[in-house]
């Protein structure tokens, strides 16, 4: 997620922000990449792509079969519509407001209510996962689409005719956020359709869904509020950005920019440590209006409520009556996504980015082993384990630093009284152990064959000094890190490399800017979507989806496959197991900096948007939607 709201408030809050190594880009190339080919100049604005790496894995890389992409790259640009290559087809699968049940109301943006919205597809879809039906099937033609609804944009959601009160809007927004689980089926023409009367269809909303809590912080006093004295029962989840599907068939959804909902900090008790700690989440720079109508978002009234958000939430899509669980063992931060694998040792391992300037990359290792025959037991794998934060070193190695109470300085002298504190304040724990502040860690994906970890560092325009893993100052176009695990995800150290640097499109054909969501397709090829935010006007290219070459002499080359309409972001992407369909989330069409587009030249509103994609009907606002891409039955 990146829009004007975030530009205002998404500040660097880590006090260690600039307190890092002083290493120039040239130093890094000299030390670590000198054997490799470097294209282009060394200036920050004309940053080049480094091909290959320092980690020894490059030998493996050159031995890897080069997997090419055979589509014809689409032109860069900005306009009202989506674009995709010749020979492919794009259809809208589902859009904001579409009814999720046979008896749910049709979308009428001029007569919306919270109860209607709670039975319709939510706003600003982001992460997409697909749970096959039946569970575990390899080439299913039916499945449960699991979709995040990240954040509300009041001026794009509601008519400005005064028909709705502030409280109405607040309730509808909360009903529009959270998650959708929707059964989808593929027809003989390879097109997917929503099964509207499926018993699996379900909304999980910020407004009303009960969610339980487990792990070290469950029930802790810092999670208790006047409304929930147990500290174990939380209403709702929101700011659900990216996520992940687990090997045991559940859906993980991650709470990111939680600060947006929390207001009235200036009247809160400044001596309350929770209020001071809330500032590490950027609270106070911007908030929506929810706190005016519900005291749980008012930091003066309910200072602990913010501790109940910022978690990874697990949902079982196969059981529509199941209660989602917030797993405190995975730490609290602005969670972007959560990618889980089963290590060869049998333990579940999760990788997670914390998306804010100068924040950290995390890894979780389960205490129990995965049991392919016992799904019920697997549902607790994320309830207990060990959390680590990443430290990148100048010798091309990196270490995973354990975040366990009593170890590595996580002691009472440093403000930690228990493992619950370590989890609630995972960012502060990361500071103390010496994790490396990164350039906004977004999505993380695990290569399905060689186990390498790819980490999108979307950008960091606030970086004044480089560090080893973030060498570029004023890093407005981001980069992608690669960690070579040698398929040993329990190892305390690994080697690492930079796969690519984002670039100003046009300097090098096909370079992407501001990588965000990542996914591998059925051929183990990497794809990356972008979130340039206001930076799109610097590239002259809307956000899109790129095919990224990870091996061979074109390693690091990114080729544009899909482009979003003006002001939109391309967020979640999901391939079917047979790779014959690609689902893409198009988020916030018409929202970002449409005043900078010559074709419109002004800020968009509900009644005057820069595009009315995807309906293109007068009086229908632009609608965030899921697009399906197919290729006449062939693999993407
Ligand atoms: Fe919601 Fe980090 O993107
Ligand atoms: Ca983003
Ligand atoms: Ca994102
Ligand atoms: Ca992903």
């Amino acid at each position: 997620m990146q829009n004007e709201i975030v530009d205002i408030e998404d500040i660097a809050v880590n006090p260690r922000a600039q307190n890092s190594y002083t290493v120039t880009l040239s130093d890094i190339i000299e030390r670590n990449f000198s054997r490799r080919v470097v294209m282009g100049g060394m200036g920050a604005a004309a940053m080049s792509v480094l091909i290959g790496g320092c980690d020894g894995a490059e030998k493996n890389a050159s031995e890897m079969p080069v997997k090419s992409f055979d589509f014809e790259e689409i032109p860069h640009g900005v306009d009202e519509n989506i674009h995709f290559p010749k020979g492919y087809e794009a259809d809208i699968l589902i859009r904001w407001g579409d009814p999720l049940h046979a008896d749910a109301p049709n979308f009428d943006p001029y007569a919306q209510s919270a109860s209607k919205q709670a039975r319709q597809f939510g706003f600003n879809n982001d992460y997409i996962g697909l749970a096959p039906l039946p569970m575990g099937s390899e080439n299913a033609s039916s499945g449960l689409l699991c979709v995040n609804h990240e954040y509300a944009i009041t001026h794009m959601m509601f008519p400005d005719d005064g028909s709705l009160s502030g409280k109405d809007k607040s309730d509808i927004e909360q009903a529009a956020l959270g998650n959708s689980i929707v059964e989808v089926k593929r027809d003989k023409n390879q097109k997917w359709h929503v099964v509207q009367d499926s018993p699996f269809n379900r909304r999980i909303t910020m407004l009303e869904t009960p969610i339980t809590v487990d792990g070290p912080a469950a029930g802790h006093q810092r999670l208790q509020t006047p409304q929930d004295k147990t500290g174990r029962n939380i209403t709702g989840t929101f700011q659900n950005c990216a996520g992940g599907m687990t090997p045991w068939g559940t859906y993980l959804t991650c709470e990111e920019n939680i600060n947006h909902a929390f207001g009235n900090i200036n009247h809160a008790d400044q001596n309350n440590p929770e209020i001071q700690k809330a500032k590490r989440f950027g609270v106070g720079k911007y908030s929506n209006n929810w706190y005016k109508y519900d005291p749980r978002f008012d930091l003066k009234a309910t200072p602990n409520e913010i501790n109940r958000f910022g978690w990874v939430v697990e949902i079982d899509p196969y059981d529509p009556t199941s209660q989602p669980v917030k797993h405190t063992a995975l730490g609290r931060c602005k969670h972007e996504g959560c990618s889980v694998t089963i290590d060869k040792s049998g333990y579940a391992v999760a990788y997670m980015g914390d998306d804010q300037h100068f924040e950290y990359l995390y890894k979780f290792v389960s205490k129990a082993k995965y049991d392919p025959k016992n799904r019920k037991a697997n549902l607790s794998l994320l309830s207990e384990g060990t959390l680590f934060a990443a430290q990148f070193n100048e010798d091309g190695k990196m270490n995973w630093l354990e975040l366990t109470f009593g170890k590595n300085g996580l002691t009472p002298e440093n403000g930690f009284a228990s493992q619950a504190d370590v989890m609630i304040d995972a960012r502060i724990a990361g500071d103390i152990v010496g994790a490396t502040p990164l350039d906004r860690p977004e999505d993380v994906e695990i290569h399905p064959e060689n186990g390498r970890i790819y980490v999108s560092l979307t950008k960091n325009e606030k970086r004044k000094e480089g560090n080893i893993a973030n060498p570029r100052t004023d890093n407005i176009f981001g980069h992608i890190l690669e960690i070579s695990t040698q398929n040993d995800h329990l190892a305390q150290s690994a080697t690492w490399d930079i796969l690519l640097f984002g670039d100003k499109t046009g300097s090098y054909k096909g370079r992407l800017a501001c990588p965000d969501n990542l996914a591998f397709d059925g051929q183990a090829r990497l794809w990356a979507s972008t979130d340039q935010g206001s930076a799109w006007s610097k590239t002259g290219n809307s956000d899109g989806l790129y095919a990224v070459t990870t091996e061979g002499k074109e390693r690091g080359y990114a080729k544009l496959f899909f482009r979003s309409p003006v002001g939109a972001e391309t967020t979640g992407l999901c391939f079917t197991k047979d790779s014959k369909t690609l689902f893409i989330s198009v988020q916030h069409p018409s929202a970002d900096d449409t005043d900078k587009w010559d074709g419109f030249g002004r800020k968009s509103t509900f009644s005057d948007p820069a595009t009315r994609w995807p309906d293109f009907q007068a009086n229908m606002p632009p609608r965030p939607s899921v697009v399906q891409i197919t290729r006449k039955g062939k693999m993407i």
Side-chain angles (χ1 to χ4, degrees), residues 19 63 97 169 255 303 421 465 475 492 526 561 614:
N19 181 20
E63 286 158 13
K169 291 179 185 175
E255 298 177 337
D421 280 343
E465 295 171 8
N475 186 9
Q492 302 285 312
L526 181 63
F561 177 83

Side-chain angles (χ1 to χ4, degrees), residues 9 24 80 106 128 144 243 275 395 418 428 549 553 558 564 568 589:
E9 69 77 41
T24 68
E80 297 95 331
N106 285 324
I128 307 173
L144 303 174
I275 296 303
D395 59 0
S418 65
I428 299 170
T549 302
K553 70 177 192 310
S564 280

Side-chain angles (χ1 to χ4, degrees), residues 23 177 257 413:
V23 182
L177 303 189
N257 292 308
E413 301 81 72

Side-chain angles (χ1 to χ4, degrees), residues 400-419:
W400 290 107
L401 308 169
E402 188 174 336
L403 304 182
T404 296
F405 174 66
K407 293 187 181 175
N408 296 334
L410 304 177
T411 56
E413 301 81 72
N414 286 322
F416 296 93
S418 65
Q419 186 64 14

Side-chain angles (χ1 to χ4, degrees), residues 14 76 79 166 170 190 226 246 250 295 318 322 406 519 556 564 621:
N14 187 340
H76 298 160
D79 59 38
S170 169
Q190 303 291 322
T246 65
T250 59
Y318 293 102
S322 62
S564 280

Side-chain angles (χ1 to χ4, degrees), residues 1-2 126 150 241 256-257 336 355 440 442 516 531 569:
M1 169 245 248
Q2 176 69 54
D126 197 305
E150 191 183 13
C241 195
E256 193 194 29
N257 292 308
E336 171 71 22
D355 180 13
R440 292 188 51 193
E442 295 254 27
D516 192 332
D531 176 10
E569 175 183 340

Side-chain angles (χ1 to χ4, degrees), residues 211-215 217-220 223-224 228-234 308 323:
I211 299 185
T212 191
V213 188
D214 76 5
H220 191 275
L223 263 60
Q224 295 170 11
D228 171 27
K229 296 193 169 55
T230 70
R232 294 173 184 272
N233 299 307
I234 298 173
R308 293 148 64 88
Q323 197 166 1

